[in-house]
Amino acid sequence: MQRLCVLLFLFACVTLRSGVEGIGVNYGFLGDNLPPPTQVINLLKSINIQKTRIFDPNPDVLKALEGSGISVILGTRNEDLQPLASDLNFATNWVITNVVPHVSSVNFAYISAGNEVIPGQLASFVLGAIQNLDSALKALNLNIPVTTTVSLQVLGTSYPPSQGAFTEESIQFLQPIAQFLATKEYPLLADVYPYFAYASSPEHIQLDYALVKNTADNVIDGDLRYNNLFDAMVDALYAALEKVGQEGLDVVISETGWPSGGDVYATIDNAQTYVNNLISHVASGKGTPKRPGKVTETYIFSLFNENQKPAGTEQNFGLFYPNMIEVYHVNLTPMKN
């Protein structure tokens, strides 16, 4: 019996250290009252988070990540896309400055060249920035996937999911980007927000469907059945990628979340329900109807409420207040169902 108890204790410790498979958290900096990076990284460790994403190469955050065991998606600043695309030396110096000093003790999961710039004025620089950063990394014998992050504004059609297709404005940029990523076996990063879809059309979308309550098949799309909006949105992006010949390209969900204030549908109860249901869904390993049995790597947005973001819902996506008190409880050891 004593041996059994020891084995169970060791199993529990391993489970705790391993975190929830596929789940990470975005760590934003747009607040004037946020705790210092060392405290933030300790917070992540204390709540069993082993993946994070930062939006620019903050040296203090990268230093705090050293030796933490927490992997990071490192973003470039959008304003750096043009020089990254046009000057390989600039890309090389960016890697030497922001990656090389930390690479021996920080696990860089991906580098994202830009955040939600397609379509837009900076879209034409994304592929060149990805390619130059990739070349710079390879020249330094560093094997870190380089990609970009898109919002689902790149989709002109998303319903039903099998009809997902890129807009004319986006496809000219995303088709060659997707081809490059597929050749390298790098994923595309995508921000997926059922909240915004629901809030813009509550008369057409059931709240339980948006909150990942998995109650019933809400959408039947040929042989595929959808009981939550998150899966439907992800599969619409997969369908769009298939239509440009990249059915094998993986998608990582770089942002998803639900605000706890700033709108009639943005309540603490809804936010807690969405985030906890999503974590359980991802941890189950069921995947999406189009990609069954595959864990959808997903990053919750965001760690903190950030008071320098636009007023309203944008300031209320945090799991924690800046004083590191929970906005609501998140279950980071869910049972797989």
Side-chain angles (χ1 to χ4, degrees), residues 316-330:
N316 290 283
F317 274 90
L319 304 179
F320 291 86
Y321 297 106
N323 61 5
M324 298 196 291
I325 293 175
E326 290 181 332
V327 177
Y328 52 86
H329 180 67
V330 176

Side-chain angles (χ1 to χ4, degrees), residues 76-83 122:
T76 71
R77 298 180 182 90
N78 287 345
E79 55 266 34
D80 285 340
L81 284 172
Q82 184 170 0
L122 296 175

Side-chain angles (χ1 to χ4, degrees), residues 46-111:
S46 74
I47 61 172
N48 202 26
I49 288 292
Q50 295 192 335
K51 300 173 185 285
T52 192
R53 175 185 177 222
I54 61 176
F55 296 84
D56 62 72
N58 182 302
D60 294 332
V61 173
L62 291 169
K63 184 67 176 176
L65 280 165
E66 291 181 358
S68 67
I70 297 171
S71 69
V72 62
I73 299 176
L74 175 61
T76 71
R77 298 180 182 90
N78 287 345
E79 55 266 34
D80 285 340
L81 284 172
Q82 184 170 0
L84 284 169
S86 60
D87 187 351
L88 180 57
N89 287 331
F90 185 93
T92 300
N93 287 333
W94 190 96
V95 172
I96 290 171
T97 300
N98 300 307
V99 177
V100 170
H102 313 285
V103 75
S104 64
S105 54
V106 174
N107 176 13
F108 290 94
Y110 317 107
I111 292 173

Side-chain angles (χ1 to χ4, degrees), residues 80-222:
D80 285 340
L81 284 172
Q82 184 170 0
L84 284 169
S86 60
D87 187 351
L88 180 57
N89 287 331
F90 185 93
T92 300
N93 287 333
W94 190 96
V95 172
I96 290 171
T97 300
N98 300 307
V99 177
V100 170
H102 313 285
V103 75
S104 64
S105 54
V106 174
N107 176 13
F108 290 94
Y110 317 107
I111 292 173
S112 175
N115 181 47
E116 296 189 352
V117 299
I118 301 171
Q121 293 182 340
L122 296 175
S124 62
F125 303 116
V126 174
L127 179 57
I130 292 173
Q131 292 172 325
N132 277 348
L133 284 168
D134 188 62
S135 295
L137 288 161
K138 292 295 188 293
L140 293 165
N141 294 314
L142 299 175
N143 294 310
I144 302 170
V146 187
T147 181
T148 192
T149 303
V150 299
S151 77
L152 291 199
Q153 295 297 314
V154 298
L155 296 180
T157 304
S158 60
Y159 182 87
S162 63
Q163 297 303 306
F166 294 123
T167 63
E168 289 185 10
E169 295 84 1
S170 299
I171 196 170
Q172 60 182 310
F173 304 111
L174 280 173
Q175 188 162 8
I177 288 171
Q179 183 176 6
F180 177 84
L181 295 178
T183 300
K184 296 286 186 175
E185 298 184 343
Y186 299 164
L188 177 67
L189 309 186
D191 298 343
V192 176
Y193 283 97
Y195 163 75
F196 289 116
Y198 174 77
S200 66
S201 189
E203 67 278 11
H204 296 123
I205 301 173
Q206 293 181 16
L207 181 59
D208 285 357
Y209 182 64
L211 292 175
V212 201
K213 287 194 172 180
N214 297 336
T215 51
D217 293 332
N218 194 284
V219 171
I220 298 175
D221 184 10

Side-chain angles (χ1 to χ4, degrees), residues 235-296:
D235 276 0
L237 180 57
Y238 274 124
L241 289 168
E242 290 172 0
K243 290 179 177 63
V244 296
Q246 303 304 335
E247 61 276 359
L249 186 61
D250 281 339
V251 171
V252 169
I253 308 307
S254 41
E255 289 181 31
T256 191
W258 196 287
S260 60
D263 177 73
V264 63
Y265 308 113
T267 66
I268 287 178
D269 183 61
N270 283 346
Q272 182 175 28
T273 299
Y274 175 77
V275 169
N276 281 300
N277 285 347
L278 182 73
I279 289 171
S280 293
H281 179 57
V282 170
S284 75
K286 290 179 179 178
T288 70
K290 191 176 275 293
R291 296 290 187 274
K294 176 179 172 54
V295 172
T296 305

